[in-house]
């Protein structure tokens, strides 16, 4: 949890008077009391900013650090410059070389700037958005549904747009598989103060991608908690309860269940197209596996039916060996026009509805869809990729889930579908879910119930459908054989 | 439209009887009445207001009604087979012909009425479509093409159906040479086909459609029995609202030429806030702005321009209160009914009666409280009569006992 306190943070925030007092209050050891009975096990304090106040900050922090340790809470120091002191449990920085050998590092990075060679115990993604449904003010001229939706921004998918970070965390996990990934989303200071559901949404948004949110409270809540205001304490209690529940439901050793992979360096010029492809796939409820070109695990393409090679400008004109093998096993590779010279007209096969945008080639046992023009529109790209893959390979389908994001993971014969409802309240319309496995049992875990609720899996189209009762914010459906 | 005439002439439907509406004082082909459009609309509206339709001859053909409580093949197949026999048999209509069948897959496949799959609420049920395909195949149809303008996309219909958890293979295998085409864009055609309604149309002098609506000998509308938020009811004629491609009539249509891909709904049909792509005829400058006047007129135009040879209405399970789950307050119903006929207005009139509505009702009376009657407008386009006294209902002698009121009694 980010723990702004002390003279350095106060000075950076230009806090004076009562605002300054809030920073002093959070410096007191007793402020840690709110962490009791929560899963929060570390705080991130500002240690050194290369400012004149650094020394004062570090002196002031000592009682808090001591108290945190006594409570079993790790303290991570944020440093911008200088050498980290012994005694902290780790440091947060944007240059891994700043840490003495053996010091755990939280590396602050944007998802597209993260490289596969950097070594960090934890990666903090600095480009995460505050998860929410953005609201725009615009008129609606059509039917009732259109008018109702008029205040929510809609993306090219037609579904409400959501600011979500799951794809960034999935990508970071693919780039740094050994690291724990944190979302660095910050509550907007210029919007109405978030309710507890908004904070819990930030936790759930990260959790479905196997990540965690570095908790950051907005200034108003920090002040209210420092003043022990009952409403603030109640908000914190509700949030902590949700946090506890989501942590209880966290599972390790799961693998993203997908049939489409997106292959890219996910850095540099091609990062936007590749990243946005992941983002828009999530809005289609199309599970995809990010495949980082220089960090591909041997079995990274297992179970995939199609791979989209999203880098189009830096292609050296050859197919990576892993893609060769994938095609030879019968897979479909969707590749940029830079590879056109690799394919011969004699191998061309009918391309169905995509003939205007792709040429399809038979290559060994598999197929290659060669784009005729460089990709410009990530929405069109992921739509085409989904259709070329074919919905017969869908592993999951959802109905009435426009403002939800989903993650489907499997471990052995069991599966888990996590849903995050960005509307952060009960469903507007009942949601139905289909998974392409003939599971015999299903149980729903939610934030508003202590235990699981049994669901009836209904056989349909080779898999099962379950009808979900309304739940707020987050649900995890565990399927068993 | 040569092809349209060809379709009419080639269709082997039972020859319609030409009757004079009881409300009409004299018979007269609408094409023989040299009215201006403004005069026509004024007269039509005025006639409605005083409860009298313009003078004209209107065709009538038998309508088959059947009770069918479930979509199981064992129930559906014999019922539909019997209904088609009661209409004179499909063979006369389709043997050796290319049959185009407009199905109803309105809205996004990802939207459900509560947990009800789309086919139990807003979409024509695949079992009804599949059974019709099977029976058309058995009757000798040379080629059967399933058509729909999938909402907001140019993707193949097969993919669209799978998104709703349908198995398109079941439909493609229901007979030999079954195909599908998404008609919301140019699709497999080289150019759009132009269809002109009679009398220069109520709203547009002509409509440009996907080639599939021209490249067929027989045209079937296989619809859902539903209420409609704007048009009161949606039956076999209203189903044709969806034949207009969004590349020309959609919110994202091109300004000069049709857009390549369809984007958005047909907002211009509802509100007239913009014109179609300039490559297509624009709407009449004096056309109404009220969606309740526009939509029924466009439906009647389309049904007259692209005549329906066989109308099939799925009322086994459906929804009331609107045409899709996006309409507030709608609910699931199980009327257990099927309706079929070779005249779209006749068929829709009987279906409307089975829904508990008076097919002779007009604006201000349910289900047309806030709109004009598509049935009247279709009748006035010369498609067929809506007057039950002049429609032979076959199959269920006491068919009026099957009425399933779509409106809740207060």
């Amino acid at each position: 949890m980010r723990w702004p306190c002390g003279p350095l943070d106060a000075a950076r925030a230009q806090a004076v008077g009562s605002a300054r007092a809030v920073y002093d209050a959070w410096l007191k050891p007793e402020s840690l009391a709110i962490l009791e009975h929560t899963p929060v096990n570390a705080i991130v304090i500002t240690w050194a900013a290369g400012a004149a106040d650094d020394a004062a900050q570090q002196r002031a922090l000592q009682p808090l650090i001591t108290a945190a340790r006594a409570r079993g809470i790790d303290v991570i120091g944020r440093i911008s410059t200088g050498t980290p002191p012994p005694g902290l449990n780790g440091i947060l920085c944007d240059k891994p070389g700043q840490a003495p050998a053996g010091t755990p590092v939280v590396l602050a990075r944007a998802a597209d700037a993260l490289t596969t060679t950097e070594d960090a115990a934890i990666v903090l993604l600095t480009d995460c958005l505050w998860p929410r449904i953005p609201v725009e003010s615009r008129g609606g001229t059509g039917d009732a549904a259109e008018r109702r939706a008029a205040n929510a921004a809609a993306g090219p998918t037609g579904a409400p747009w959501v600011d979500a970070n799951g794809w960034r965390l999935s990508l970071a996990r693919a780039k740094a598989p050994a690291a724990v990934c944190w979302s660095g989303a910050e509550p907007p200071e210029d919007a109405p103060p978030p309710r507890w559901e908004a904070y819990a949404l930030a936790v759930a948004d990260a959790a479905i991608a196997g990540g965690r949110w570095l908790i950051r409270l907005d200034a108003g809540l920090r002040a209210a908690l420092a003043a022990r205001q009952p409403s603030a304490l109640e908000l914190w209690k509700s949030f902590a309860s949700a946090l506890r529940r989501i942590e209880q439901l966290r599972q390790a050793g799961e693998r993203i269940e997908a049939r489409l992979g997106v292959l890219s360096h996910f850095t540099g010029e091609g990062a936007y197209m590749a990243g946005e492809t992941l983002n828009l796939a999530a809005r289609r409820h199309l599970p995809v596996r990010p495949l980082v070109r220089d960090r591909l695990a041997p079995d990274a393409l297992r179970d995939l039916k199609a791979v989209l090679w999203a880098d189009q400008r830096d292609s050296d004109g050859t197919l990576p060996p892993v893609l060769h093998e994938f095609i030879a096993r019968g897979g479909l590779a969707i590749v940029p026009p830079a590879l056109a010279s690799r394919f011969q007209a004699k191998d061309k096969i009918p391309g169905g509805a995509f003939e205007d945008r792709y040429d399809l080639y038979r290559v060994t046992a598999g197929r290659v869809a060669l784009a005729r023009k460089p990709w410009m529109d990530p929405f069109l790209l992921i739509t085409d990729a989904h259709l070329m893959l074919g919905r017969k390979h869908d592993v999951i389908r959802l109905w009435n889930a426009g403002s939800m994001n989903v993650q489907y993971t499997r471990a052995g014969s069991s599966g888990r579908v996590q849903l995050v409802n960005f509307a952060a309240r009960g469903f507007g319309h009942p949601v139905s879910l289909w998974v392409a496995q003939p599971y015999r049992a299903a149980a729903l875990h939610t934030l508003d119930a202590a235990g699981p609720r049994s669901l009836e899996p209904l056989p349909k189209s080779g898999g099962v459908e379950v009808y979900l009762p309304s739940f707020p914010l987050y649900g995890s459906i565990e399927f068993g054989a | 439209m040569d092809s349209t005439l060809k379709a009419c002439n080639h269709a082997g439907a039972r020859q319609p009887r030409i009757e004079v509406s009881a409300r009409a004082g004299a018979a007269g082909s609408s094409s023989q009445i040299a009215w201006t459009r403004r005069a026509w609309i004024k007269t039509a509206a005025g006639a409605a207001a005083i409860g009298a339709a313009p003078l004209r001859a209107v065709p009538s053909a038998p309508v088959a009604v059947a009770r069918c409580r479930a979509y199981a093949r064992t129930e559906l197949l014999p019922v539909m087979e019997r209904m088609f026999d009661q209409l004179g048999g499909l063979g006369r209509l389709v043997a050796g012909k290319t049959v185009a069948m407009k199905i109803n897959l309105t809205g996004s496949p990802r939207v459900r009425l509560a947990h009800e799959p789309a086919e139990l609420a807003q979409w024509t049920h695949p079992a009804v479509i599949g059974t019709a395909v099977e029976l058309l195949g058995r009757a000798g149809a040379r080629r059967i093409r399933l058509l729909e303008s999938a909402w907001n996309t140019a993707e193949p219909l097969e993919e669209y159906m799978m998104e709703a958890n349908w198995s398109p293979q079941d439909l493609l295998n229901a007979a030999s040479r079954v195909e599908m085409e998404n008609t919301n864009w140019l699709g497999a055609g080289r150019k759009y086909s132009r269809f002109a309604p009679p009398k220069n149309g109520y709203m547009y002098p002509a409509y440009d459609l996907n080639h599939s609506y021209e490249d067929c000998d027989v045209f079937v509308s296989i619809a859902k029995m539903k209420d409609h938020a704007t048009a009161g009811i949606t039956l076999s004629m209203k189903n044709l609202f969806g034949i207009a491609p969004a590349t020309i009539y959609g919110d994202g249509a091109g300004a000069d030429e049709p857009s390549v891909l369809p984007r958005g709904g047909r907002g211009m049909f509802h509100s007239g806030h913009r014109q179609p792509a300039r490559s297509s005829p624009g709407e009449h400058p004096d056309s109404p702005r009220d969606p309740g006047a526009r939509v029924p007129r466009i439906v009647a135009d389309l049904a007259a321009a692209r005549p329906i040879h066989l109308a099939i209405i799925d009322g086994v399970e459906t929804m009331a209160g609107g045409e899709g789950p996006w309409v507030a307050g709608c609910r699931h119903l199980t009327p257990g009914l099927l309706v079929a006929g070779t005249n779209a207005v006749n068929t829709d009139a009987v279906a409307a009666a089975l829904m508990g509505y008076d097919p002779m009702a007009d604006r201000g009376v349910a289900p047309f409280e806030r709109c004009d009657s598509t049935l009247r407008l279709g009748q006035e386009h010369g498609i067929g009569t809506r007057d039950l006294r002049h429609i032979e209902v076959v199959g269920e002698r006491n068919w009026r006992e099957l009425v399933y009121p779509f409106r809740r009694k207060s």
Side-chain angles (χ1 to χ4, degrees), chain A residues 85 121 211 427 429:
Chain A
F427 305 160
H429 295 278

Side-chain angles (χ1 to χ4, degrees), chain A residues 143 145 148 284-285 357 379-380 387 390-392 397-400 429-432 434 460-461 465 467-468, chain B residues 109-115 117 119 152 155-156 159-160 162-165 185 261 263 271 325-328:
Chain A
D143 59 17
R148 273 200 303 280
R284 294 179 68 83
H285 300 145
R357 293 193 291 281
F379 172 72
L380 192 59
L387 294 174
R391 284 202 176 91
K392 67 183 175 185
R397 290 178 189 142
L398 278 160
W399 291 272
N400 298 344
H429 295 278
V431 172
S432 307
W434 175 85
K460 182 93 177 172
S461 300
E465 264 189 36
Y467 298 154
L468 303 179
Chain B
R110 293 186 178 215
V111 175
R112 285 183 170 183
L113 177 63
H115 294 302
E119 63 270 21
N152 201 36
E155 70 189 63
E159 290 290 327
Y160 196 72
M162 276 190 272
E163 201 170 358
N165 243 0
W185 64 314
L261 296 175
R263 287 280 163 88
S271 63
W326 49 88
V327 180

Side-chain angles (χ1 to χ4, degrees), chain B residues 96-359:
Chain B
K97 308 278 176 58
T98 293
V99 179
M101 184 185 290
K102 166 64 171 69
I103 58 182
N104 188 343
L105 310 181
T106 187
S108 163
R110 293 186 178 215
V111 175
R112 285 183 170 183
L113 177 63
H115 294 302
E116 299 294 346
E119 63 270 21
L120 297 183
Q122 71 268 30
W123 284 14
T124 321
H125 198 284
V128 175
I129 300 168
T131 304
V133 168
E134 181 178 347
L135 293 171
L136 288 165
R138 279 198 214 167
R142 187 173 60 82
R143 189 171 167 226
I144 300 164
R145 309 196 74 237
L146 301 179
L147 310 176
E148 171 61 304
S149 301
W151 185 78
N152 201 36
T153 179
E155 70 189 63
L157 278 190
E158 291 90 329
E159 290 290 327
Y160 196 72
M161 289 175 176
M162 276 190 272
E163 201 170 358
N165 243 0
W166 285 21
S167 170
Q169 216 56 38
D170 293 348
L171 302 176
L172 295 169
N173 293 334
S176 60
R177 291 203 68 187
V178 180
E179 304 163 5
M180 298 189 190
E181 184 161 348
N182 178 353
T183 59
N184 209 18
W185 64 314
L186 187 60
R190 288 184 178 175
K191 62 183 179 62
Y192 290 95
S193 300
R194 186 157 293 178
F195 288 80
K199 304 187 299 289
N200 211 26
Y202 290 124
M203 292 293 300
Y204 295 81
Y207 297 78
D208 286 350
L209 309 178
N210 174 283
H211 75 100
S212 302
Y213 297 103
E214 180 176 1
D215 295 338
C216 61
D217 304 308
V218 177
F219 184 52
V220 179
S221 171
I222 184 160
K224 199 76 169 178
M225 180 183 283
K226 291 183 293 186
D227 288 329
H228 194 276
T230 310
I233 45 173
T234 172
L235 298 164
S236 77
M237 284 197 293
K238 176 63 180 62
N239 188 27
L240 267 53
F241 198 73
I243 70 178
T247 48
I248 298 171
Y249 303 101
D251 299 327
D256 295 317
E257 296 293 327
S259 57
V260 174
L261 296 175
R263 287 280 163 88
R266 299 175 188 85
M268 75 177 77
F269 275 3
H270 283 266
S271 63
H273 68 280
R274 60 159 288 186
Q275 291 292 308
R278 286 192 191 91
S279 55
S280 300
E283 67 181 79
H284 298 302
D286 57 350
S287 55
R289 302 290 93 187
D290 168 24
R294 296 175 63 85
V295 172
R297 281 171 171 75
I298 290 167
V299 169
D301 273 356
L302 289 167
R306 175 50 279 187
I308 297 165
H309 300 113
L310 178 62
I312 303 168
I313 297 168
D314 166 15
V316 179
E317 290 191 49
T318 185
M319 57 184 290
E323 71 278 14
W326 49 88
V327 180
C330 44
R331 64 193 196 283
H332 178 241
L333 294 181
T334 54
L337 293 169
L338 287 170
V339 187
T342 54
N343 182 292
V345 175
N346 300 167
T347 309
D348 285 2
V350 172
L354 286 166
M355 296 166 76
Y357 302 125
D358 176 8

Side-chain angles (χ1 to χ4, degrees), chain A residues 136-289:
Chain A
E136 288 179 355
S137 179
R138 56 194 178 95
T141 54
D143 59 17
E146 204 178 327
R147 285 194 298 275
R148 273 200 303 280
N151 289 327
T157 53
W161 195 265
V162 299
D163 287 339
N165 300 298
W167 69 271
R168 283 189 182 85
L169 287 150
S170 293
L171 173 58
R173 293 186 73 202
K175 285 185 170 183
V180 172
C181 294
W182 287 358
S183 157
E186 297 186 40
E189 296 286 355
D190 58 348
R195 303 185 313 159
W196 75 265
E197 293 94 335
Y199 287 112
L201 182 61
V203 175
D205 172 50
I208 68 162
R212 288 190 163 86
W213 175 51
L214 173 59
I215 300 166
R216 294 168 190 246
L217 305 183
D218 76 291
L221 181 58
R222 288 201 310 273
L225 284 171
R228 311 288 298 168
Q229 286 180 9
S231 61
L233 292 170
E234 194 59 35
L235 185 155
W236 174 259
K237 190 175 156 191
S238 299
F239 166 67
S241 171
L243 179 63
R244 208 161 36 238
R245 187 86 178 108
I246 292 171
E247 281 299 313
Q248 284 168 357
L249 294 171
R250 189 178 291 276
Q251 292 181 6
E254 296 176 325
R255 181 188 182 90
I256 295 174
E257 180 73 351
R259 296 291 175 266
L260 175 67
V262 175
L263 178 66
S264 168
H265 287 295
F266 291 102
T267 55
E269 198 179 348
Y272 168 75
M273 181 64 71
E276 200 57 16
T277 303
L278 299 180
N279 184 25
L280 291 171
R283 296 308 302 130
R284 294 179 68 83
H285 300 145
L286 170 65
V288 294
R289 195 179 297 158

Side-chain angles (χ1 to χ4, degrees), chain A residues 19-202:
Chain A
R20 166 68 193 243
V22 174
Y23 287 87
D24 293 341
W26 281 82
L27 191 60
K28 292 176 181 168
E30 51 267 36
S31 63
L32 294 166
I34 65 164
L35 300 185
E36 275 177 25
H37 311 300
T38 75
V40 177
N41 60 2
I43 59 172
V44 177
I45 48 97
T46 302
W47 183 260
D53 288 341
D54 280 4
Q57 172 82 353
Q58 290 158 13
R59 275 195 306 277
L61 281 168
Q62 288 307 326
L64 182 74
I65 293 171
T66 304
R69 287 209 179 123
R71 289 172 177 266
I73 295 168
D74 287 344
V75 180
I76 296 167
R78 181 188 177 102
I79 60 168
S80 300
T81 58
T83 306
L88 292 179
N89 300 95
I91 63 161
L92 189 156
C93 61
D94 54 13
K95 295 187 188 76
Q98 288 174 296
T103 304
V105 171
V106 179
L107 180 63
R109 275 282 187 281
D112 61 357
L114 184 65
T115 69
T116 55
T117 55
E118 291 171 307
D119 196 20
I122 298 170
V123 172
L124 172 66
L125 296 180
T126 55
D127 54 347
C128 286
L129 306 173
W130 183 244
R132 60 180 170 179
I133 301 175
V135 174
E136 288 179 355
S137 179
R138 56 194 178 95
T141 54
D143 59 17
E146 204 178 327
R147 285 194 298 275
R148 273 200 303 280
N151 289 327
T157 53
W161 195 265
V162 299
D163 287 339
N165 300 298
W167 69 271
R168 283 189 182 85
L169 287 150
S170 293
L171 173 58
R173 293 186 73 202
K175 285 185 170 183
V180 172
C181 294
W182 287 358
S183 157
E186 297 186 40
E189 296 286 355
D190 58 348
R195 303 185 313 159
W196 75 265
E197 293 94 335
Y199 287 112
L201 182 61

